[in-house]
């Protein structure tokens, strides 16, 4: 009913009546029309003693508020929920309702940042964009970015336990000059899944992860997200997984920067019937000259830059320049929520432009 009552542009409805468009969507996306319980703490098997359970939807809304309004920590988020009426309204708290303790987020961390839950939320947001007609299914761009891990160089020690004993003190001095350290022989004791990685030859190496995104070229909306460990092959391997999940139209195009100009990646796209509009290297490019001379190739490289806006947003507004949690699983959930929030803000801008 909410969608039916909105003043949607006819282009978004394919020039159909709203009720006809809803019937068509009910056939293609039946899960969007299923009734579900809202703002309920859980099944009746919960204990009736002690403090009442907190509806998980309220916790998820609070995490979304944290991303949209760049709240630095969960401690600050709970503090602002105590006095900010706008946050209370969005989360679903009454003016006199007590705010839960910040440790609730820590206790429910594995469930809140579960990859399946986060990906389902991301998909629901994307379905709304598809309903509005904002998503293109023919032309895409792919890219990756480095996410700094919540671990320091001092935690990167030999796996076999060799080396000097850890000095006493809270923050002892450490000298790495002249020592060879690699992911094959060393591992972080703070975050074992983080890997020492650097983007270029003369850039600094830090403990990092990587976040990858696949966006459509019409409006720059992100259609798929993947998080991986930081390796030299992670970008194009993650790109193939996202393309297999989200690109289904034969003859579609995928634009990318020079980092994806590899024979394995271009060949994988050709096997799937997808055109590789990858920026060519100066020498030894896997992209043939005929493809590079086409008008569509130039358009893909120009529109590809829109994906950088999404990465810039999640790092500045979304707070994902550095992961707040340890482990790849939690980073995956955090990245999916951040890109879903970006899509929501982007959709708001597009809807304003359409109604102007």
């Amino acid at each position: 009913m909410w969608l039916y009552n909105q003043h949607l542009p006819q282009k978004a409805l394919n020039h159909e009546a709203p009720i006809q468009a809803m019937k068509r969507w009910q056939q293609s996306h039946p899960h969007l029309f299923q009734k579900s319980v809202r703002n309920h703490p859980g099944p009746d098997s919960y204990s009736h003693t002690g403090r009442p359970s907190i509806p998980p939807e309220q916790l998820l809304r609070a995490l979304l508020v944290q991303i949209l309004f760049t709240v630095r920590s969960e401690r600050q988020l709970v503090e602002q929920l105590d006095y900010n009426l706008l946050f209370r309204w969005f989360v679903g708290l009454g003016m006199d309702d007590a705010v839960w303790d910040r440790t609730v987020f820590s206790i429910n961390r594995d469930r809140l940042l579960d990859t399946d839950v986060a990906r389902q939320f991301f998909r629901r947001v994307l379905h709304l964009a598809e309903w509005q007609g904002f998503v293109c299914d023919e032309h895409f761009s792919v890219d990756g970015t480095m996410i700094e891990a919540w671990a320091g160089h001092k935690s990167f020690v030999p796996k076999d336990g060799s080396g000097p004993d850890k000095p006493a003190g809270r923050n002892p001095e450490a000298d790495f000059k002249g020592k060879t350290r690699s992911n094959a022989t060393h591992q972080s004791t703070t975050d074992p899944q983080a890997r020492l990685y650097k983007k270029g030859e003369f850039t600094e190496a830090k403990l990092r992860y990587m976040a990858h995104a696949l966006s459509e070229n019409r409006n720059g909306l992100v259609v798929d997200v993947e998080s991986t460990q930081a390796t030299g092959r992670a970008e194009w391997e993650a790109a193939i997984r996202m393309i297999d999940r989200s690109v289904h139209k034969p003859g579609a195009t995928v634009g990318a920067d020079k980092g994806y100009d590899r024979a394995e990646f271009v060949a994988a796209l050709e096997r799937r019937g997808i055109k590789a509009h990858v920026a060519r290297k100066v020498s030894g490019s896997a992209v043939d000259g005929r493809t590079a001379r086409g008008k569509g190739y130039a358009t893909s490289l120009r529109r590809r830059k829109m994906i950088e806006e999404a990465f810039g947003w999640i790092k500045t507004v979304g707070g994902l320049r550095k992961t707040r949690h340890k482990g790849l699983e939690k980073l995956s959930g955090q990245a999916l929520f951040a890109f879903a929030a970006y899509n929501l803000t982007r959709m708001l801008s597009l809807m304003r432009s359409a109604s102007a």
Side-chain angles (χ1 to χ4, degrees), residues 36-48 52-61 91-92 111:
S36 57
V37 180
R38 307 289 182 181
N39 289 330
H40 193 277
D44 295 335
S45 58
Y46 275 80
S47 174
H48 297 286
S53 301
I54 301 170
E57 290 181 0
Q58 291 187 356
L59 297 177
L60 292 175
R61 289 175 191 159
V91 171
R111 288 191 292 176

Side-chain angles (χ1 to χ4, degrees), residues 203-257:
T203 57
E204 61 180 343
K206 287 186 177 182
L207 291 168
R208 292 183 167 112
Y209 290 97
M210 296 193 75
H212 316 268
L214 180 71
S215 69
E216 52 85 35
N217 286 354
R218 180 186 298 165
N219 294 305
L221 291 168
V222 177
V223 298
D224 207 340
V225 181
E226 186 84 7
S227 299
T228 65
Q229 290 181 304
T231 65
R233 300 169 59 91
E235 281 192 317
W236 67 269
E237 288 178 347
I240 292 298
R241 290 194 293 270
M242 292 188 294
I243 289 170
D244 287 339
R245 284 197 301 256
S246 303
V247 181
H248 308 295
K249 197 167 187 177
T253 65
V254 174
D257 58 29

Side-chain angles (χ1 to χ4, degrees), residues 90-298:
F90 183 81
V91 171
L93 293 173
M95 293 183 63
D96 299 326
D97 292 344
V99 182
W100 53 83
D101 190 78
R102 62 182 177 85
T103 56
V104 171
F105 290 104
S106 302
I107 296 171
N108 294 276
R109 181 86 62 213
D110 293 336
R111 288 191 292 176
L112 291 174
L113 295 182
D114 179 73
T115 305
D116 294 334
V117 174
R119 191 169 293 280
Q120 185 179 5
F121 175 73
F122 177 85
R123 288 294 182 188
R124 289 296 183 95
V125 173
L126 188 61
H127 287 327
L128 292 177
E130 292 173 348
W131 169 268
Q132 298 283 355
F134 293 145
V135 179
C136 173
D137 61 352
E138 296 182 7
H139 307 291
F140 301 88
S141 296
V142 66
D143 205 353
T145 188
M146 295 182 294
I147 306 294
E148 189 176 342
W150 197 271
H153 278 283
K154 293 179 182 179
S155 69
F156 199 62
V157 298
K159 295 180 181 180
D160 57 7
S162 61
D165 296 333
K166 182 178 179 181
R170 178 176 176 273
N171 191 18
E173 294 290 334
D175 186 10
F176 311 121
K177 188 175 181 180
K179 297 180 181 179
T180 302
R181 306 196 304 163
S182 70
N183 294 310
T185 58
H186 289 62
Q187 188 179 52
S188 172
T189 56
T190 305
D191 190 349
Q193 290 184 296
R195 295 177 65 87
L196 196 65
Y197 185 78
K198 63 179 181 179
K199 187 69 172 179
E201 183 179 359
F202 301 105
T203 57
E204 61 180 343
K206 287 186 177 182
L207 291 168
R208 292 183 167 112
Y209 290 97
M210 296 193 75
H212 316 268
L214 180 71
S215 69
E216 52 85 35
N217 286 354
R218 180 186 298 165
N219 294 305
L221 291 168
V222 177
V223 298
D224 207 340
V225 181
E226 186 84 7
S227 299
T228 65
Q229 290 181 304
T231 65
R233 300 169 59 91
E235 281 192 317
W236 67 269
E237 288 178 347
I240 292 298
R241 290 194 293 270
M242 292 188 294
I243 289 170
D244 287 339
R245 284 197 301 256
S246 303
V247 181
H248 308 295
K249 197 167 187 177
T253 65
V254 174
D257 58 29
K258 293 181 181 179
Y260 294 83
D261 190 4
R262 302 172 62 102
E264 300 98 324
F265 179 69
V266 174
L269 293 186
E270 290 177 352
R271 288 195 300 269
R272 291 163 173 79
I274 298 173
K275 299 176 183 178
H277 288 178
V278 180
R280 302 182 73 196
K281 296 178 181 177
V282 177
S283 61
S285 175
V287 181
D288 61 273
R290 182 180 178 181
T291 300
R293 289 190 295 269
K295 293 183 179 180
Y297 178 84

